[in-house]
Amino acid sequence: MGKLQQGLFVFLALLAPLLLPAQAQRPRSAPPVNSMAIQGEAWQLVQLANQDRAALGLRPLLWDPALAAAARQHCQRMVAEGQISHRYGGEPDLTERAGQAGAHFRLIEENVAFGPTPPAIHDGWMHSPGHRANLLNPEVDRVGIAVVAGRDALYAVADYARDEPVLSLAQVEAGYANMLRAKGLIVLQQTTDARKYCEQDDGVRGAVSSSSPTFMMRWEDADLSRLPQPLLDRIGTGRYRQAVVGSCPPQDVEGAFTVYRTAVLLY
């Protein structure tokens, strides 16, 4: 019997991107390859991915230790189970695994595979449309990869994500306050009423302690580079002179997605 081609010996599974609205990334430096053989194979997959990304003018993926820890945990489970999958019985899903490992992200996606060598695994991903889309996604900027040797070949998990900074309430408020000032509004420093309104459940207007604002809005978003369009429309009427901004913890956010909840009162 002839020798089996390596590219035919790769088994793949795909998890499509999970995401929230975009936000600016926080770059991290790639670590040096350590002396562990399996880590060297994981790093080889990073280099192969970045070569193909560079050929398309995409930014390189930076190594993320938290994603790598989540990938290794799942990769070890794949070895134990034998069959590759993105989730096994009793195992947290990708977002929860990554969050438990310390990652923060707006978007996260995963490739898994079983094959003889890192180049064969990479080649399999590049010749599978969904896996290729994950690997070459211009929206992701970091990666953690684990490769674990099984009895017959290598198991690999690659977790790709878009990095997100974790900001304090005051930082969120300051960012939006600057945008409101750029629209010609005077931003009042007292945040108590806006924070109180922010903390209420959606659909509840609630009372505020000071003179009543003529417009109140709250929202959740990971993108702190823009004001929501309904708020911009209100400001555009020219009826408002003052604003108050308040931030509070988000509600009903699953996994470790980084998202911010904000309220603005207009006077």
Side-chain angles (χ1 to χ4, degrees), residues 19-23 106-107 164 220-223 226 258-259:
L19 71 158
L20 287 178
Q23 190 192 342
R106 176 191 67 84
L107 177 153
E164 290 296 334
E220 292 187 359
D221 202 345
D223 188 350
R226 62 188 178 187
T258 301
V259 63

Side-chain angles (χ1 to χ4, degrees), residues 8-257:
L8 301 178
F9 187 44
V10 178
F11 298 90
L12 309 173
L14 170 70
L15 186 61
L18 308 170
L19 71 158
L20 287 178
Q23 190 192 342
Q25 76 272 11
R26 179 187 57 196
R28 293 178 181 172
S29 297
V33 179
N34 64 30
S35 59
M36 294 176 61
I38 297 300
Q39 180 58 46
E41 291 165 339
W43 188 247
Q44 188 177 1
L45 285 171
V46 177
Q47 293 177 311
L48 290 168
N50 282 336
Q51 288 173 9
D52 284 326
R53 289 175 67 90
L56 296 175
L58 301 173
R59 58 185 169 183
L61 298 172
L62 303 181
W63 183 263
D64 188 293
L67 291 177
R72 175 160 288 276
Q73 180 185 33
H74 183 64
C75 198
Q76 290 171 336
R77 181 68 182 270
M78 287 204 309
V79 174
E81 296 285 345
Q83 297 294 322
I84 63 172
S85 175
H86 289 282
R87 189 179 185 183
Y88 301 98
E91 183 185 32
D93 64 14
L94 171 59
T95 61
E96 189 174 352
R97 292 198 307 266
Q100 290 173 350
H104 295 274
F105 44 83
R106 176 191 67 84
L107 177 153
I108 190 165
E109 56 194 25
E110 182 174 84
N111 286 351
V112 302
F114 173 79
T117 65
I121 289 170
H122 176 77
D123 186 67
W125 284 340
M126 289 297 291
H127 285 86
S128 166
H131 295 85
R132 178 186 175 92
N134 280 353
L135 193 152
L136 299 179
N137 188 346
E139 293 299 316
V140 300
D141 57 14
R142 58 199 176 104
V143 66
I145 297 180
V147 180
V148 177
R151 287 185 297 178
D152 300 316
L154 302 175
Y155 290 79
V157 177
D159 289 341
Y160 312 93
R162 174 70 175 265
D163 194 17
E164 290 296 334
V166 179
L167 304 179
S168 67
L169 300 185
Q171 288 174 315
V172 174
E173 291 165 354
Y176 281 123
N178 288 335
M179 284 182 265
L180 292 169
R181 292 189 187 99
K183 297 297 180 181
L185 295 173
I186 298 172
V187 180
L188 306 178
Q189 298 301 310
Q190 178 55 259
T191 63
T192 301
D193 286 343
R195 286 188 175 184
K196 180 179 178 181
Y197 176 63
C198 180
E199 292 169 354
Q200 295 172 359
D201 293 335
D202 288 336
V204 178
R205 191 176 195 279
V208 295
S209 58
S210 62
S211 58
S212 296
T214 53
F215 179 76
M216 304 196 306
M217 179 178 176
R218 59 182 168 233
W219 68 95
E220 292 187 359
D221 202 345
D223 188 350
L224 302 187
S225 66
R226 62 188 178 187
L227 294 167
Q229 191 59 46
L231 181 58
L232 290 173
D233 292 341
R234 282 283 183 160
I235 295 171
T237 65
R239 295 165 49 193
Y240 307 98
R241 297 290 179 267
Q242 297 178 325
V244 177
V245 184
S247 185
C248 62
Q251 299 179 5
D252 301 323
V253 177
E254 298 180 358
F257 287 113

